[in-house]
Amino acid sequence: MESVDVLVVGAGAAGLMAAIHAGRTSGPDTRILVVDGARKIGAKILVAGGGRCNVTHHEVRPEDYGGSTRNAIRKVLRAYPVEAVVEFFAAEGVALKREETGKLFPTTDKARTVLDALLEAVSKAGVELRHPVRIESIERWDDGFTVAGSDFQATAGRVVLCTGGKALPKSGSDGAGLEIARGLGHSTTDAIHPALVPLVLTDVDPIRELGGIAAPVTLMIRSGNGRAIAEYTAPLLCTHFGVSGPVVLDASRYLLAARAAGDDATAVVRWLPDVDRGEFELSILGASGGATCQSLLKGRLPDRLLRMLLHAAGVEPADRVRGLTRDRRRALLDTLFEHPLVVVGDRGYTFAEATAGGVPLSEIRLESMESRVVPGLHLAGEICDVDGRVGGFNFQWAWASGRVAGAAAAASIRSNS
Ligand SMILES: Cc1cc2nc3c(=O)[nH]c(=O)nc-3n(C[C@H](O)[C@H](O)[C@H](O)COP(=O)(O)OP(=O)(O)OC[C@H]3O[C@@H](n4cnc5c(N)ncnc54)[C@H](O)[C@@H]3O)c2cc1C
């Protein structure tokens, strides 16, 4: 059985950052090992941002995350802010550029640049990376841990658990780490479900006939009693199964969380996000005699989408606006400003970009990411009950929590030796 001082389990974004900072913090005789069950390291980094890797966002706030409390999330984010991440990558030879949306990408537009720099930094920090090594059990003893897996057995003074959540399971993140955390005595949130996930509409929903059509909309998630839960404005993409696009991905976790808690929550679309309903109604009432429903809305929405919405409101494109009955006018306004989506499911972890739920931050000391339940165990990344919206927020959480966990784990070995 081999013996290491710090064992990092999982070499995704959080684990690589933890390994680098553990290596940089440790003394010369400290042995740090990072293992991963995957054959191919960094699969998620490589597919991120459509292969360009949206490394972070120029402005990251706790409000950009769901899960644990904002105060807890803020504390960890503050320990490794965006500027420090930008500096870190610059020092590793990866310049980042900011796009109009605020997202930061490598100037090469290649995720490979990011992964290569991280792997190089791991090696320069004196940390060994070994894979495929899939960890199956971790046991805590008085003076450390016994860790076992496929052809692997080791004792470790400290363990940093960075096994991710359940999104994109073929990358190796299949929730096994959550089981391990539970086995060690941690709890996990009552609900764990996909986040940043496309939503499925009923078979007969006409939106499914509009695959490929996109429009900027406001998407509102409301509880069964009408209370506003979340609201986002961004492009919505119609697909052959339902809806996707940034606005749907961002809002999905709130709909699924509410439903998981037994709330009959709904998703409601405002198709004209920058138009006030009252003003639009006035423009209908004041429309010229010749204006038709189609001409009133022409150019505001893609043609096929517009036709579908008019049909849903029970009006014909050629109907004169001034001739609409009060009921039809109301139906048109409701369809344009309060269109409920009949969401029957989601596309699951295979198509989700993140996981909502996990180990609550209340069970973790945030200055070190050390477990309050299992001394010597640190946790970082998506295994925690923190999920960000689209835009680089999930990586920022992984970088920040990974750095805090790795540096603290190595520092504690140093202070004990
Ligand atoms: C398609 C897609 C695109 C994305 N794009 C972006 C983006 O552009 N920007 C952004 O901020 N976020 C993006 N995300 C989210 C982001 O990738 C994740 O939030 C982030 O990678 C989480 O990092 P992590 O290290 O916690 O977990 P992961 O990246 O999931 O890494 C966990 C690692 O642990 C390993 N592992 C798991 N169990 C074991 C075990 N038992 N033994 C050994 N190893 C194990 C896995 O093999 C894996 O390598 C995207 C996600 C997906 C799926």
Side-chain angles (χ1 to χ4, degrees):
M1 175 155 357
E2 67 184 298
S3 167
V4 298
D5 295 301
V6 178
L7 178 69
V8 181
V9 182
L16 291 173
M17 197 54 104
I20 292 163
H21 287 282
R24 289 181 180 182
T25 309
S26 65
D29 300 325
T30 310
R31 185 140 183 253
I32 300 166
L33 175 65
V34 53
V35 296
D36 197 293
R39 275 187 191 286
K40 198 174 140 197
I41 290 292
K44 254 190 218 181
I45 293 174
L46 290 177
V47 297
R52 296 197 301 137
C53 190
N54 176 194
V55 174
T56 185
H57 194 278
H58 90 102
E59 191 187 9
V60 175
R61 305 156 312 156
E63 295 77 21
D64 296 312
Y65 296 86
S68 297
T69 66
R70 293 206 169 141
N71 272 346
I73 295 170
R74 177 181 294 113
K75 203 161 175 188
V76 180
L77 293 173
R78 271 200 189 146
Y80 201 40
V82 174
E83 305 77 58
V85 170
V86 171
E87 264 175 44
F88 165 87
F89 279 103
E92 297 310 316
V94 182
L96 299 179
K97 60 174 175 183
R98 174 179 157 184
E99 300 205 331
E100 240 174 55
T101 53
K103 296 177 182 178
L104 269 63
F105 290 88
T107 51
T108 57
D109 278 329
K110 290 197 175 77
R112 182 93 243 167
T113 323
V114 175
L115 179 59
D116 286 349
L118 289 166
L119 294 176
E120 176 75 21
V122 168
S123 157
K124 276 193 300 195
V127 176
E128 185 194 343
L129 166 62
R130 212 182 294 166
H131 72 103
V133 174
R134 177 124 179 120
I135 300 307
E136 277 142 21
S137 73
I138 301 181
E139 282 180 62
R140 169 93 180 120
W141 303 102
D142 287 347
D143 52 352
F145 297 86
T146 309
V147 183
S150 47
D151 292 331
F152 180 82
Q153 255 203 323
T155 60
R158 297 250 154 185
V159 170
V160 189
L161 197 56
C162 303
T163 43
K166 297 169 112 177
L168 200 67
K170 70 174 182 203
S171 69
S173 313
D174 56 4
L178 290 162
E179 276 302 321
I180 291 174
R182 279 192 285 260
L184 283 162
H186 269 285
S187 71
T188 51
T189 50
D190 289 345
I192 296 182
H193 55 81
L196 302 184
V197 67
L199 297 174
V200 179
L201 304 180
T202 53
D203 286 351
V204 294
D205 196 307
I207 288 180
R208 292 175 59 149
E209 303 292 314
L210 301 177
I213 291 181
V217 306
T218 296
L219 184 58
M220 299 161 283
I221 305 300
R222 294 196 185 134
S223 69
N225 64 14
R227 185 177 55 85
I229 297 178
E231 179 176 313
Y232 289 97
T233 300
L236 175 144
L237 175 67
C238 305
T239 73
H240 65 282
F241 57 79
V243 285
S244 187
V247 80
V248 172
L249 300 187
D250 279 344
S252 59
R253 63 104 51 223
Y254 294 98
L255 180 71
L256 299 182
R259 288 188 173 180
D263 185 329
D264 198 11
T266 54
V268 178
V269 182
R270 193 188 303 147
W271 293 102
L272 301 175
D274 48 8
V275 177
D276 177 74
R277 178 175 174 141
E279 281 174 21
F280 189 75
E281 186 167 14
L282 288 178
S283 73
I284 292 183
L285 293 171
S288 69
T292 63
C293 290
Q294 168 114 17
S295 68
L296 183 76
L297 285 154
K298 189 135 187 78
R300 292 183 190 260
L301 288 163
D303 276 351
R304 283 178 59 210
L305 175 60
L306 175 55
R307 275 202 302 275
M308 184 280 281
L309 292 173
L310 293 178
H311 185 73
V315 300
E316 292 298 325
D319 283 351
R320 301 256 177 237
V321 177
R322 297 241 315 243
L324 292 180
T325 62
R326 179 190 272 242
D327 281 355
R328 280 307 103 214
R329 202 165 65 229
R330 156 133 333 167
L332 180 59
L333 287 166
D334 284 349
T335 305
L336 292 171
F337 291 92
E338 291 276 328
H339 182 177
L341 297 176
V342 186
V343 177
V344 293
D346 63 79
R347 292 274 275 166
Y349 288 113
T350 308
F351 295 95
E353 289 193 11
T355 308
V359 176
L361 289 189
S362 55
E363 294 184 1
I364 298 172
R365 294 178 202 284
L366 303 172
E367 61 288 353
S368 59
M369 294 307 284
E370 182 176 0
S371 162
R372 292 180 187 275
V373 180
V374 191
L377 176 76
H378 300 251
L379 301 103
E382 208 174 299
I383 191 171
C384 304
D385 176 25
V386 178
D387 56 288
R389 64 184 182 90
V390 172
F393 301 96
N394 283 304
F395 277 140
Q396 183 61 31
W397 170 255
W399 311 135
S401 58
R403 178 189 193 259
V404 171
S412 72
I413 297 285
R414 221 180 157 154
S415 61
N416 286 344
S417 59

